[in-house]
Amino acid sequence: MPRTRNFYLQLGFTLLVCLFLIVPVVMSMVAGVTVNFFIGVKSGFTVRWIGEVWSLYSQTIFRSMLIAISCLAVTLVVGVPTAYALAKRPGRFTRLIEEFLVMPVAIPGLAIALALIITYGGMREFRTSWLFILVGHVLYTLPFMVRSVLAVLSSIDFRTLEEGAASLGAGFWHRFFQIIVPNIRSGIIAGSLTVVTLSIGEFNLTWMLHTPTTMTLPVGLADSYASMRLEIGSAYTLVFFVMIIPLLIALQRFGTPGGPRRARIQEEVGRALAPAGGQAAP
Amino acid sequence: MTAAAPHGTAIRLVECAKTFPNGTRAMERTTLEIGDGETIVFLGPSGCGKTTLLRVIAGLEAPDPGGRVLFDDEDVTELPIEKRNVGMVFQSYALFPNMNVEENIAYGLEVHKVAPAQRAKRVGEMLEMMQIGELRDRRTTQLSGGQRQRVALARAIAVQPRVLLLDEPLTALDALLRERLRIEIDVLLHSLGVTAAYVTHDQAEAMAIGDRVAVMNKGAIVQVGTPREIYFKPASAFIADFIGTMNRVHGTARDGFLELQGGRVPWTRGGAGVIEVLFRPGDARIAGPGDAQFRGVVARQFFLGDRTRLQVSGIGDAPVTVETTEHREFRVGEEIGLKIDPEALLTLRD
């Protein structure tokens, strides 16, 4: 079929929009390895800025990883059973719980952070530890894990699978770990990737919750933008990209159409992610 | 795992009813005894409570307080399904998608902590018995409906259950396969000697498989009997209509005859005034002019291959259905004679 003029117009427009979004990203990454950004690339390339970022901010990178992994652990331990319980007893009460769970996504991160500080700020040890930030991250990411697992649970007839296992003599724990968990693996993986990605990139909450000794990567970014040379801030961004992009690609992978079930999961996860739009990256 | 039972287990339901939390009465108070090694079929339209009854036997639903379920002399009412040692085959098969065929069959044995060597042996036996050896390593999603059904059966039987429960196991299959598996299941159940409860809404399936058939309607068992009893001596109009085609006509008993619209038959069973009688399509024969008791007119004909089904008007208020093995073609509007064996005429209370 010959392509019409319209097609090329649309293609051109799409490419233009892509460029509009991608060029700043590339510029920022280039700036991070340029000797002097005001002179331009002709000043030469260097890894000096990355080295500086490492010496200044490596702690924030490790802390972000620690928080992301802990956050994942907590959301797995809490979120998967919660999703299972919600799926098992659908009703008005469980809808209510689901709504409460999702609320932190809708409420501005700053408001949640403030509430946490007002309530627990007096507990000095807790307030100054990274665990305080972890609590905020768990509140914020838990609904994504629950939703993602719930989506898969509602797409399989898990009740009958469980009854089948029970008829063969399997008690609850056997059924849960040998039948339920393996069959909702795709939802757990998609949820895990979402949780880790959101936690690493979280800024709103963390900015309020952090103390000078508990800075995370995105908060460190803001700090470097405000107080360092542009090249250092850009190099820092580069480090952030290196961490977050593989996660985003993995997230995309799990959403690639591979059958009706996959597509459905993708759709559900997409819906769950939608309200978070701009918060994934600062 | 309990020792292999060479014989089945008798099942007794005592005063079992089931009311769901939302107030729906799924099952009226039922008392029923299922003999050791017997195959009983619960037959009825959808929503009649047959699946609820099966689930009560299985332990997936608890009967309302007061009801008791006994396996032989053991009261299992309080035991959850995983402690009852029942084998169950579901309409949707409920095969585990995360395991291959072999792992599915071995699952129950694993849960029962059967030693690996013994487990492998038993799985091998099952694969052979169900003729699915070549499917051993397949994923369950790669199986056809009939193959899934075989795996589901093998999985349920592998643990040597005390009773085998089958919930519409053939409903999801096409007609031809259904008929073949129906025969296989019948042979299997009787060769195992296991007590089996089988739920279906298909009366032909119920007739073929059941030693006894329990017909259910609106949450209650309305008749229990051998397939022949149910077919030839239905206890109510509902059962008569549900099990195959039944003609219903009204006649008047007078002078030792029952007079219908198009003729009369000898009648010695008394009664006076208008009587409703029923007969199966096969109980009326086409007869020559000298022999016929009734005269009617062919309203429609359906050639079924081995026989021809005719709808004949002029005998009851509605056309009656008659079946004949005569090879000739009938014309619509053709006048024919019919003869009905008076013994085959049924009268019902309700």
Side-chain angles (χ1 to χ4, degrees):
Chain A
M1 195 180 80
R3 294 197 160 131
T4 60
R5 216 180 47 156
N6 240 338
F7 171 82
Y8 288 104
L9 272 173
Q10 285 167 8
L11 182 68
F13 181 71
T14 309
L15 288 177
L16 213 67
V17 172
C18 289
L19 278 178
F20 182 75
L21 295 170
I22 291 169
V23 166
V25 174
V26 174
M27 289 295 281
S28 169
M29 286 164 79
V30 169
V33 288
T34 306
V35 173
N36 186 330
F37 187 67
F38 295 101
I39 296 171
V41 288
K42 60 178 176 290
S43 67
F45 292 111
T46 176
V47 291
R48 184 183 144 206
W49 309 127
I50 294 178
E52 293 237 354
V53 165
W54 193 255
S55 63
L56 283 169
Y57 292 111
S58 64
Q59 280 311 310
T60 69
I61 294 167
F62 291 125
R63 191 170 298 111
S64 268
M65 283 176 164
L66 172 70
I67 290 175
I69 287 166
S70 311
C71 184
L72 173 61
V74 175
T75 51
L76 278 175
V77 171
V78 177
V80 176
T82 303
Y84 171 75
L86 289 176
K88 191 117 188 200
R89 299 197 188 284
R92 207 183 302 169
F93 184 65
T94 48
R95 290 298 306 173
L96 201 69
I97 291 182
E98 217 184 320
E99 290 305 319
F100 273 123
L101 270 174
V102 178
M103 226 181 250
V105 179
I107 297 173
L110 292 173
I112 297 173
L114 193 63
L116 284 173
I117 291 169
I118 289 171
T119 318
Y120 303 109
M123 303 161 75
R124 265 192 70 83
E125 288 290 304
F126 182 42
R127 174 70 183 89
T128 53
S129 99
W130 62 277
L131 292 170
F132 196 56
I133 295 172
L134 176 65
V135 170
H137 281 207
V138 168
L139 275 179
Y140 173 56
T141 56
L142 188 61
F144 295 92
M145 177 63 84
V146 173
R147 277 276 175 97
S148 171
V149 173
L150 206 52
V152 181
L153 272 172
S154 54
S155 75
I156 61 172
D157 186 3
F158 74 94
R159 270 190 207 81
T160 310
L161 288 182
E162 229 190 307
E163 286 179 354
S167 77
L168 294 166
F172 174 77
W173 296 108
H174 262 114
R175 300 200 296 266
F176 188 74
F177 284 108
Q178 294 177 344
I179 305 300
I180 301 292
V181 169
N183 284 303
I184 55 172
R185 225 188 59 196
S186 59
I188 294 176
I189 292 175
S192 302
L193 287 166
T194 312
V195 165
V196 171
T197 311
L198 288 178
S199 172
I200 287 186
E202 213 297 319
F203 177 73
N204 286 348
L205 274 164
T206 321
W207 183 71
M208 284 282 279
L209 296 177
H210 87 280
T211 59
T213 55
T214 57
M215 223 183 254
T216 65
L217 200 161
V219 174
L221 267 181
D223 182 71
S224 73
Y225 293 161
S227 57
M228 300 281 159
R229 320 179 36 136
L230 182 63
E231 287 84 352
I232 293 183
S234 298
Y236 203 175
T237 310
L238 190 62
V239 172
F240 178 72
F241 280 145
V242 168
M243 285 178 68
I244 207 89
I245 285 178
L247 283 169
L248 289 174
I249 289 171
L251 196 58
Q252 204 63 35
R253 260 282 163 77
F254 271 86
T256 42
R261 200 173 121 192
R262 266 242 169 108
R264 208 163 39 234
I265 294 164
Q266 178 187 17
E267 193 189 297
E268 282 287 332
V269 171
R271 201 177 310 144
L273 277 172
Q279 295 196 21
Chain B
M1 187 165 158
T2 51
H7 61 87
T9 299
I11 303 170
R12 262 194 300 153
L13 296 178
V14 184
E15 305 268 293
C16 284
K18 180 68 195 176
T19 313
F20 284 112
N22 64 7
T24 312
R25 181 87 162 169
M27 192 170 111
E28 299 298 332
R29 260 210 282 205
T30 302
T31 295
L32 178 72
E33 204 154 327
I34 304 168
D36 158 353
E38 182 185 29
T39 300
I40 192 162
V41 177
F42 297 107
L43 173 68
S46 64
C48 71
K50 55 191 191 297
T51 294
T52 306
L53 178 48
L54 192 78
R55 291 171 66 87
V56 167
I57 298 176
L60 288 169
E61 306 283 356
D64 291 347
R68 286 192 305 141
V69 182
L70 293 101
F71 284 3
D72 285 334
D73 291 323
E74 186 192 349
D75 189 333
V76 295
T77 316
E78 302 296 323
L79 288 183
I81 182 168
E82 59 262 34
K83 302 244 170 71
R84 286 196 191 184
N85 196 18
V86 295
M88 189 142 180
V89 177
F90 297 82
Q91 185 177 346
S92 59
Y93 316 127
L95 297 179
F96 309 132
N98 56 318
M99 300 179 189
N100 65 21
V101 169
E102 186 180 6
E103 291 162 342
N104 262 279
I105 298 173
Y107 185 76
L109 300 165
E110 221 177 289
V111 169
H112 282 96
K113 300 197 169 64
V114 175
Q118 221 180 323
R119 197 194 304 163
K121 183 166 161 277
R122 182 74 182 150
V123 171
E125 282 169 19
M126 286 297 111
L127 289 167
E128 194 184 338
M129 182 172 171
M130 299 308 297
Q131 297 161 23
I132 46 174
E134 75 281 6
L135 305 177
R136 185 188 275 263
D137 300 316
R138 292 267 193 96
R139 301 223 73 87
T140 60
T141 45
Q142 300 168 316
L143 303 178
S144 70
Q147 291 170 333
R148 284 178 200 202
Q149 191 48 264
R150 286 201 169 84
V151 177
L153 270 165
R155 187 179 73 175
I157 295 166
V159 292
Q160 290 167 316
R162 302 170 75 175
V163 299
L164 192 59
L165 307 171
L166 305 103
D167 186 6
E168 307 233 13
L170 303 181
T171 305
L173 305 174
D174 62 70
L176 215 66
L177 192 57
R178 202 152 62 211
E179 202 146 330
R180 230 178 53 210
L181 272 171
R182 180 198 294 170
I183 298 167
E184 278 184 35
I185 290 180
D186 184 48
V187 171
L188 181 71
L189 293 181
H190 288 101
S191 69
L192 289 172
V194 67
T195 310
Y198 188 109
V199 163
T200 182
H201 63 267
D202 180 333
Q203 49 101 3
E205 209 170 293
M207 299 281 171
I209 287 181
D211 294 327
R212 278 195 303 160
V213 176
V215 184
M216 294 188 70
N217 189 28
K218 293 180 184 152
I221 294 178
V222 286
Q223 187 176 6
V224 189
T226 65
R228 278 193 172 71
E229 282 167 3
I230 300 275
Y231 190 79
F232 292 115
K233 294 196 179 67
S236 71
F238 167 81
I239 300 165
D241 284 336
F242 193 75
I243 314 285
T245 310
M246 185 64 101
N247 292 303
R248 282 211 233 184
V249 291
H250 292 89
T252 313
R254 191 179 293 155
D255 309 331
F257 284 96
L258 185 70
E259 295 178 355
L260 305 179
Q261 280 176 29
R264 59 184 195 173
V265 284
W267 188 254
T268 52
R269 276 183 263 174
V274 177
I275 298 173
E276 187 186 49
V277 290
L278 297 85
F279 63 96
R280 297 277 180 204
D283 290 327
R285 282 185 298 107
I286 293 179
D291 208 13
Q293 295 160 330
F294 300 98
R295 303 214 66 80
V297 174
V298 176
R300 270 164 164 218
Q301 67 153 344
F302 305 94
F303 179 55
L304 303 176
D306 55 342
R307 61 198 192 280
T308 303
R309 174 170 281 215
L310 301 173
Q311 297 216 297
V312 181
S313 56
I315 293 173
D317 301 327
V320 297
T321 304
V322 175
E323 285 181 355
T324 172
T325 51
E326 277 185 42
H327 290 186
R328 76 182 180 92
E329 195 167 337
F330 293 84
R331 280 181 297 105
V332 170
E334 181 182 338
E335 190 167 295
I336 56 167
L338 288 181
K339 191 171 161 67
I340 303 171
D341 180 4
E343 295 299 309
L345 287 174
L346 290 170
T347 52
L348 296 173
R349 300 278 155 259
D350 50 325

